[in-house]
Amino acid sequence: MTKWNYKGIKAKDLPKGAVIPEGGTAADYETGGWRTKHPVLDKEKCINCLFCYAFCPDSSVIVENGKVVGFDLKHCKGCGICAFECPKDAINMEDE
Amino acid sequence: MARVEAITGNVAVAEAMRAVEPDVIGVYPITPQTIIVEAYAEYVAQGEVGTEFVAAESEHSAMSICVGAAAAGARTMTCTSSQGLALMWEELYIAAGLRLPIVMFDVNRSLSAPINIHCDHSDTMGARDSGWIQIFSENAQEAYDNFIQAVRIAEHPDVMLPVMVMMDGFVISHSIQRVELLDEDKVKKFVGEWKPDYPLLDADHPVTWGSFDGLGGFYFEYKKEQYDALQRAKDVSQEVAKEYAKLSGREYGLFEKYKMDDAEVAIVAAGSTAGTAKTVVDTYRQNGIKAGLIKIRLYRPFPAEEMVEALSGLKAAAVLDRSPGYDVLGGPIFQDIQSALYQSGTSVPLVNYIYGLGGRDVLVSHIEKAYEDILNVAKTGKVDKKVDYLGLKE
Amino acid sequence: MVATLKELAAKEDKLSPGHRLCAGCGASVVARMILNASTLPVVVASATGCMEVSTTIFPYTSWRSSFIHNAFENSGATMSGVEAAYRALKRKGKMKDEFNFVAFGGDGGTFDIGLQSLSGAFERGHRMLYVCYDNEAYMNTGIQRSGATPMGAWTTTSEVGKKQAGKIQHRKDLTGIMAAHGGYVAQASPSNWRDLVKKAEKAFAFDGPSFINVLAPCPRGWRFPSEQTIEFARLAVETCYWPLFEVEGGKYKINVKPKTKKPVTEWLKPQGRFKHLFKDVNADKLDELQKFVDDQWDRLLALESACRLD
């Protein structure tokens, strides 16, 4: 199925019974605005243990080839778990 | 070749289920539906069907299983009675709201308390506005025929709603009658293969069922869609009935009109009572009295316009309700008919009778009492008692 | 072999961001770990609750797998139906795909209103993993007590006042109840991610019903700062308030035995929901909670050693 365009959609055009006919559409919804602080990574200190990836409630730690490369700030709610759990203090929570 | 058997209503329903051979049955036993469950369990044990037969730990779970299975993409069936239907309540609305074409047989039984295992229609009457299509059957043959047609009505793309088919507990479910059973391969061909639009079980196309619409979404519009679909079931049920008539030779309308062409008075009834009423009508006719009968079949959606048309011109009519109707306005069928007449501006003097609760025997004399009353109303044009009781011990 | 974080991170997350769970929610951490441990596509069912409501706000769904929400008390039965459909369609040759089946419920949907449905699903032996994300109260409706709420905890229906110091009763032993059903049963914590992922993998490999009870700390309901969710899960394990164990073939095995069992007050004290317990008048409550934890731990050790006897 092609990407669903929700804007201007009428109920009669929707699948019956409020079925959402594709997966992961919430990625289009940004929760970054909830944040008062955002995580900042110090790549020098990071050992890529990926605990921050494991413990993120919002799937917002971006990992490429086994390395932390940054944060999905469109979705990160700024809870601070990544910074708190980082064994090397490589993540700092900074004011928005 | 169709075969003729002497079987109970319950076995007739089990035979219909076996002929359709749904993918999943989620079910819980309750009197007087039990024999349907037992018969199907026997088919499973003998390897006669490929159905996944899930014996749930409650009716609530039985219907929850049906919802899960139907959303997964399976053709799904169940059956219940009375308290069982009451326990399913929450799930009835969910099944209808999710537009799942689940087909259920309900063997009509009274609701507690006091506990009583015998027939009345209070169980399914309570569910009349749950969004399910409801079809009453007079006898075992109709139970069989209606149940097979229900599959096609439920799964019709213009409908996509669950259907409950009913027959009277014990009176029909446990009495042996002559039933013509169709060849199972013909039934399978008639219902065809079920191909759902958005099954959960499609790894390449993940879908979300039962989404939350509480933040100003489309809830209202979805309910309107659901209402429209339910109304469309009226025409669809007639298309399906026509096709079924070709297969079986038996014709089914929205309701049955018995000797109504020139009738001056008529009774409206649902279920096995219609059978008794027909013999009463015949007796009146032999005596030159123009009595008729309307037998409810499709109860939800209620065929209001057609009912008004059938009743208009009568000098008086009696509506028989086999459920208590705690409302001062009378029983549910009576209220439906009265509203339909009022909305159309048609005036027919109407009397409502509550009868047969908790399996109270419905005697010819009870039906005669109703006819005598409306013959009197026809004469005087006056209704003394709008809501009355038949067969109540004084 | 337990998947490494590097391996898990190489796959697309099965839970997309953009859900409306609170910042620091323990439930979504649990859901991610469980789902990402599956090598097969999954079908997810969820009881009504925080996770269901926040992840499926129409037309946005966080589930990249097929998902169904039916009602509050029937996640087990709903998934039974999905699994039954799978068996039937497979047998009739109508469907080729392979799946793992995961049902989620909070403690309200599992310990309380959904227990019968879960018990029935287990007894019937459906191949499914039921995960209770236990945040110890009805959080979705605003922090009301459940059968999982610990004694002494404040909730909006176990209030703190002149005559009462939070919840009067201890929580029920749900993991024990589920172990009595058979199947694969475990208790886990997101702090011990490796243990949790391993248990999920075991459950997926098990040809029958499995149940994992996972502690899911709730910053809002437990009254602690959002960055400490995993820390509170960890402290629960280190104090033996939340022992990590599994039951396979009726045999108990404790997975983590802390070298020194921390006093339960270390877990209780920083949580706002227990702050009244630290007034002198409630000292006996603290003793009773410590005794509850000690008795539970001793019983678990005894069960484990009894299982080694044969």
Side-chain angles (χ1 to χ4, degrees), chain B residues 326-348:
Chain B
Y326 295 113
D327 198 311
V328 292
L329 295 174
I333 304 177
F334 178 72
Q335 289 193 38
D336 286 328
I337 290 176
Q338 189 162 252
S339 303
L341 288 170
Y342 181 80
Q343 281 184 1
S344 70
T346 311
S347 176
V348 176

PDB file of all heavy atoms in Angstrom, chain B residues 326-348:
ATOM      1  N   TYR B 326     -40.203  -3.900  29.707  1.00  0.00           N
ATOM      2  CA  TYR B 326     -40.411  -3.187  30.969  1.00  0.00           C
ATOM      3  C   TYR B 326     -40.890  -1.758  30.745  1.00  0.00           C
ATOM      4  O   TYR B 326     -41.437  -1.125  31.627  1.00  0.00           O
ATOM      5  CB  TYR B 326     -39.122  -3.196  31.794  1.00  0.00           C
ATOM      6  CG  TYR B 326     -38.729  -4.588  32.215  1.00  0.00           C
ATOM      7  CD1 TYR B 326     -37.584  -5.205  31.722  1.00  0.00           C
ATOM      8  CD2 TYR B 326     -39.531  -5.312  33.102  1.00  0.00           C
ATOM      9  CE1 TYR B 326     -37.244  -6.483  32.106  1.00  0.00           C
ATOM     10  CE2 TYR B 326     -39.198  -6.594  33.487  1.00  0.00           C
ATOM     11  CZ  TYR B 326     -38.046  -7.188  32.989  1.00  0.00           C
ATOM     12  OH  TYR B 326     -37.715  -8.447  33.368  1.00  0.00           O
ATOM     13  N   ASP B 327     -40.634  -1.281  29.557  1.00  0.00           N
ATOM     14  CA  ASP B 327     -41.073   0.054  29.203  1.00  0.00           C
ATOM     15  C   ASP B 327     -42.602   0.119  29.214  1.00  0.00           C
ATOM     16  O   ASP B 327     -43.261  -0.808  28.782  1.00  0.00           O
ATOM     17  CB  ASP B 327     -40.562   0.338  27.770  1.00  0.00           C
ATOM     18  CG  ASP B 327     -40.580   1.796  27.458  1.00  0.00           C
ATOM     19  OD1 ASP B 327     -41.619   2.427  27.708  1.00  0.00           O
ATOM     20  OD2 ASP B 327     -39.560   2.300  26.964  1.00  0.00           O
ATOM     21  N   VAL B 328     -43.173   1.171  29.691  1.00  0.00           N
ATOM     22  CA  VAL B 328     -44.636   1.287  29.699  1.00  0.00           C
ATOM     23  C   VAL B 328     -45.196   1.325  28.278  1.00  0.00           C
ATOM     24  O   VAL B 328     -46.384   1.149  28.075  1.00  0.00           O
ATOM     25  CB  VAL B 328     -45.116   2.542  30.460  1.00  0.00           C
ATOM     26  CG1 VAL B 328     -44.813   2.408  31.936  1.00  0.00           C
ATOM     27  CG2 VAL B 328     -44.493   3.797  29.888  1.00  0.00           C
ATOM     28  N   LEU B 329     -44.341   1.577  27.317  1.00  0.00           N
ATOM     29  CA  LEU B 329     -44.817   1.680  25.933  1.00  0.00           C
ATOM     30  C   LEU B 329     -45.001   0.327  25.271  1.00  0.00           C
ATOM     31  O   LEU B 329     -45.426   0.257  24.131  1.00  0.00           O
ATOM     32  CB  LEU B 329     -43.843   2.529  25.113  1.00  0.00           C
ATOM     33  CG  LEU B 329     -43.734   3.988  25.539  1.00  0.00           C
ATOM     34  CD1 LEU B 329     -42.654   4.687  24.754  1.00  0.00           C
ATOM     35  CD2 LEU B 329     -45.061   4.707  25.370  1.00  0.00           C
ATOM     36  N   GLY B 330     -44.651  -0.768  25.978  1.00  0.00           N
ATOM     37  CA  GLY B 330     -44.856  -2.090  25.404  1.00  0.00           C
ATOM     38  C   GLY B 330     -43.568  -2.785  25.018  1.00  0.00           C
ATOM     39  O   GLY B 330     -42.467  -2.270  25.236  1.00  0.00           O
ATOM     40  N   GLY B 331     -43.719  -3.978  24.430  1.00  0.00           N
ATOM     41  CA  GLY B 331     -42.563  -4.799  24.052  1.00  0.00           C
ATOM     42  C   GLY B 331     -41.826  -4.223  22.860  1.00  0.00           C
ATOM     43  O   GLY B 331     -42.311  -3.314  22.184  1.00  0.00           O
ATOM     44  N   PRO B 332     -40.637  -4.754  22.601  1.00  0.00           N
ATOM     45  CA  PRO B 332     -39.781  -4.174  21.547  1.00  0.00           C
ATOM     46  C   PRO B 332     -40.351  -4.232  20.137  1.00  0.00           C
ATOM     47  O   PRO B 332     -40.240  -3.252  19.394  1.00  0.00           O
ATOM     48  CB  PRO B 332     -38.483  -4.975  21.661  1.00  0.00           C
ATOM     49  CG  PRO B 332     -38.762  -6.132  22.545  1.00  0.00           C
ATOM     50  CD  PRO B 332     -39.948  -5.795  23.379  1.00  0.00           C
ATOM     51  N   ILE B 333     -40.973  -5.368  19.760  1.00  0.00           N
ATOM     52  CA  ILE B 333     -41.497  -5.445  18.388  1.00  0.00           C
ATOM     53  C   ILE B 333     -42.656  -4.453  18.248  1.00  0.00           C
ATOM     54  O   ILE B 333     -42.791  -3.760  17.245  1.00  0.00           O
ATOM     55  CB  ILE B 333     -41.974  -6.880  18.033  1.00  0.00           C
ATOM     56  CG1 ILE B 333     -40.837  -7.889  18.236  1.00  0.00           C
ATOM     57  CG2 ILE B 333     -42.475  -6.939  16.592  1.00  0.00           C
ATOM     58  CD1 ILE B 333     -41.240  -9.339  17.976  1.00  0.00           C
ATOM     59  N   PHE B 334     -43.460  -4.378  19.300  1.00  0.00           N
ATOM     60  CA  PHE B 334     -44.586  -3.438  19.308  1.00  0.00           C
ATOM     61  C   PHE B 334     -44.086  -2.013  19.129  1.00  0.00           C
ATOM     62  O   PHE B 334     -44.639  -1.231  18.339  1.00  0.00           O
ATOM     63  CB  PHE B 334     -45.349  -3.594  20.629  1.00  0.00           C
ATOM     64  CG  PHE B 334     -46.496  -2.640  20.777  1.00  0.00           C
ATOM     65  CD1 PHE B 334     -47.656  -2.810  20.033  1.00  0.00           C
ATOM     66  CD2 PHE B 334     -46.429  -1.585  21.667  1.00  0.00           C
ATOM     67  CE1 PHE B 334     -48.729  -1.941  20.175  1.00  0.00           C
ATOM     68  CE2 PHE B 334     -47.494  -0.714  21.819  1.00  0.00           C
ATOM     69  CZ  PHE B 334     -48.647  -0.884  21.072  1.00  0.00           C
ATOM     70  N   GLN B 335     -43.078  -1.660  19.870  1.00  0.00           N
ATOM     71  CA  GLN B 335     -42.555  -0.290  19.770  1.00  0.00           C
ATOM     72  C   GLN B 335     -42.015   0.004  18.375  1.00  0.00           C
ATOM     73  O   GLN B 335     -42.197   1.100  17.851  1.00  0.00           O
ATOM     74  CB  GLN B 335     -41.461  -0.063  20.810  1.00  0.00           C
ATOM     75  CG  GLN B 335     -42.015   0.011  22.216  1.00  0.00           C
ATOM     76  CD  GLN B 335     -40.995   0.536  23.214  1.00  0.00           C
ATOM     77  OE1 GLN B 335     -40.220   1.427  22.891  1.00  0.00           O
ATOM     78  NE2 GLN B 335     -40.988  -0.016  24.399  1.00  0.00           N
ATOM     79  N   ASP B 336     -41.338  -0.984  17.801  1.00  0.00           N
ATOM     80  CA  ASP B 336     -40.818  -0.790  16.434  1.00  0.00           C
ATOM     81  C   ASP B 336     -41.966  -0.518  15.461  1.00  0.00           C
ATOM     82  O   ASP B 336     -41.897   0.400  14.640  1.00  0.00           O
ATOM     83  CB  ASP B 336     -40.066  -2.045  15.962  1.00  0.00           C
ATOM     84  CG  ASP B 336     -38.709  -2.186  16.625  1.00  0.00           C
ATOM     85  OD1 ASP B 336     -38.087  -1.153  16.928  1.00  0.00           O
ATOM     86  OD2 ASP B 336     -38.275  -3.333  16.841  1.00  0.00           O
ATOM     87  N   ILE B 337     -42.994  -1.342  15.573  1.00  0.00           N
ATOM     88  CA  ILE B 337     -44.104  -1.224  14.620  1.00  0.00           C
ATOM     89  C   ILE B 337     -44.880   0.067  14.857  1.00  0.00           C
ATOM     90  O   ILE B 337     -45.232   0.776  13.911  1.00  0.00           O
ATOM     91  CB  ILE B 337     -45.004  -2.473  14.701  1.00  0.00           C
ATOM     92  CG1 ILE B 337     -44.233  -3.667  14.124  1.00  0.00           C
ATOM     93  CG2 ILE B 337     -46.323  -2.258  13.949  1.00  0.00           C
ATOM     94  CD1 ILE B 337     -44.953  -4.986  14.212  1.00  0.00           C
ATOM     95  N   GLN B 338     -45.101   0.374  16.114  1.00  0.00           N
ATOM     96  CA  GLN B 338     -45.843   1.596  16.421  1.00  0.00           C
ATOM     97  C   GLN B 338     -45.101   2.832  15.902  1.00  0.00           C
ATOM     98  O   GLN B 338     -45.692   3.728  15.315  1.00  0.00           O
ATOM     99  CB  GLN B 338     -46.055   1.689  17.927  1.00  0.00           C
ATOM    100  CG  GLN B 338     -47.006   2.810  18.307  1.00  0.00           C
ATOM    101  CD  GLN B 338     -47.548   2.616  19.724  1.00  0.00           C
ATOM    102  OE1 GLN B 338     -48.708   2.286  19.912  1.00  0.00           O
ATOM    103  NE2 GLN B 338     -46.679   2.808  20.693  1.00  0.00           N
ATOM    104  N   SER B 339     -43.783   2.845  16.100  1.00  0.00           N
ATOM    105  CA  SER B 339     -42.974   3.970  15.598  1.00  0.00           C
ATOM    106  C   SER B 339     -43.037   4.048  14.083  1.00  0.00           C
ATOM    107  O   SER B 339     -43.151   5.132  13.512  1.00  0.00           O
ATOM    108  CB  SER B 339     -41.504   3.822  16.008  1.00  0.00           C
ATOM    109  OG  SER B 339     -41.404   3.727  17.387  1.00  0.00           O
ATOM    110  N   ALA B 340     -42.936   2.876  13.442  1.00  0.00           N
ATOM    111  CA  ALA B 340     -42.941   2.852  11.973  1.00  0.00           C
ATOM    112  C   ALA B 340     -44.274   3.402  11.441  1.00  0.00           C
ATOM    113  O   ALA B 340     -44.301   4.202  10.501  1.00  0.00           O
ATOM    114  CB  ALA B 340     -42.705   1.428  11.469  1.00  0.00           C
ATOM    115  N   LEU B 341     -45.364   2.976  12.071  1.00  0.00           N
ATOM    116  CA  LEU B 341     -46.680   3.458  11.636  1.00  0.00           C
ATOM    117  C   LEU B 341     -46.796   4.961  11.853  1.00  0.00           C
ATOM    118  O   LEU B 341     -47.245   5.707  10.983  1.00  0.00           O
ATOM    119  CB  LEU B 341     -47.787   2.728  12.419  1.00  0.00           C
ATOM    120  CG  LEU B 341     -48.019   1.259  12.073  1.00  0.00           C
ATOM    121  CD1 LEU B 341     -48.965   0.628  13.088  1.00  0.00           C
ATOM    122  CD2 LEU B 341     -48.582   1.106  10.657  1.00  0.00           C
ATOM    123  N   TYR B 342     -46.372   5.400  13.021  1.00  0.00           N
ATOM    124  CA  TYR B 342     -46.491   6.823  13.364  1.00  0.00           C
ATOM    125  C   TYR B 342     -45.691   7.683  12.382  1.00  0.00           C
ATOM    126  O   TYR B 342     -46.187   8.683  11.877  1.00  0.00           O
ATOM    127  CB  TYR B 342     -46.008   7.042  14.793  1.00  0.00           C
ATOM    128  CG  TYR B 342     -46.117   8.482  15.237  1.00  0.00           C
ATOM    129  CD1 TYR B 342     -47.336   9.007  15.657  1.00  0.00           C
ATOM    130  CD2 TYR B 342     -45.008   9.333  15.203  1.00  0.00           C
ATOM    131  CE1 TYR B 342     -47.456  10.322  16.042  1.00  0.00           C
ATOM    132  CE2 TYR B 342     -45.113  10.656  15.577  1.00  0.00           C
ATOM    133  CZ  TYR B 342     -46.337  11.154  16.003  1.00  0.00           C
ATOM    134  OH  TYR B 342     -46.445  12.463  16.379  1.00  0.00           O
ATOM    135  N   GLN B 343     -44.462   7.240  12.119  1.00  0.00           N
ATOM    136  CA  GLN B 343     -43.591   8.013  11.215  1.00  0.00           C
ATOM    137  C   GLN B 343     -44.173   8.115   9.820  1.00  0.00           C
ATOM    138  O   GLN B 343     -43.978   9.099   9.127  1.00  0.00           O
ATOM    139  CB  GLN B 343     -42.201   7.381  11.147  1.00  0.00           C
ATOM    140  CG  GLN B 343     -41.342   7.737  12.345  1.00  0.00           C
ATOM    141  CD  GLN B 343     -39.932   7.179  12.236  1.00  0.00           C
ATOM    142  OE1 GLN B 343     -39.586   6.533  11.260  1.00  0.00           O
ATOM    143  NE2 GLN B 343     -39.126   7.449  13.237  1.00  0.00           N
ATOM    144  N   SER B 344     -44.880   7.075   9.408  1.00  0.00           N
ATOM    145  CA  SER B 344     -45.414   7.083   8.042  1.00  0.00           C
ATOM    146  C   SER B 344     -46.798   7.744   7.998  1.00  0.00           C
ATOM    147  O   SER B 344     -47.396   7.861   6.930  1.00  0.00           O
ATOM    148  CB  SER B 344     -45.512   5.655   7.514  1.00  0.00           C
ATOM    149  OG  SER B 344     -46.533   4.984   8.213  1.00  0.00           O
ATOM    150  N   GLY B 345     -47.314   8.107   9.148  1.00  0.00           N
ATOM    151  CA  GLY B 345     -48.632   8.732   9.192  1.00  0.00           C
ATOM    152  C   GLY B 345     -49.760   7.747   8.964  1.00  0.00           C
ATOM    153  O   GLY B 345     -50.876   8.120   8.632  1.00  0.00           O
ATOM    154  N   THR B 346     -49.444   6.452   9.129  1.00  0.00           N
ATOM    155  CA  THR B 346     -50.463   5.424   8.937  1.00  0.00           C
ATOM    156  C   THR B 346     -51.078   5.066  10.292  1.00  0.00           C
ATOM    157  O   THR B 346     -50.351   4.885  11.262  1.00  0.00           O
ATOM    158  CB  THR B 346     -49.827   4.141   8.333  1.00  0.00           C
ATOM    159  OG1 THR B 346     -49.038   4.526   7.224  1.00  0.00           O
ATOM    160  CG2 THR B 346     -50.895   3.148   7.902  1.00  0.00           C
ATOM    161  N   SER B 347     -52.384   4.975  10.323  1.00  0.00           N
ATOM    162  CA  SER B 347     -53.019   4.653  11.593  1.00  0.00           C
ATOM    163  C   SER B 347     -53.665   3.278  11.526  1.00  0.00           C
ATOM    164  O   SER B 347     -54.564   3.042  10.722  1.00  0.00           O
ATOM    165  CB  SER B 347     -54.049   5.730  11.941  1.00  0.00           C
ATOM    166  OG  SER B 347     -54.716   5.356  13.118  1.00  0.00           O
ATOM    167  N   VAL B 348     -53.163   2.359  12.338  1.00  0.00           N
ATOM    168  CA  VAL B 348     -53.789   1.039  12.479  1.00  0.00           C
ATOM    169  C   VAL B 348     -53.945   0.809  13.980  1.00  0.00           C
ATOM    170  O   VAL B 348     -52.965   0.899  14.717  1.00  0.00           O
ATOM    171  CB  VAL B 348     -52.893  -0.080  11.872  1.00  0.00           C
ATOM    172  CG1 VAL B 348     -53.518  -1.442  12.117  1.00  0.00           C
ATOM    173  CG2 VAL B 348     -52.648   0.147  10.399  1.00  0.00           C
TER     174      VAL B 348
END
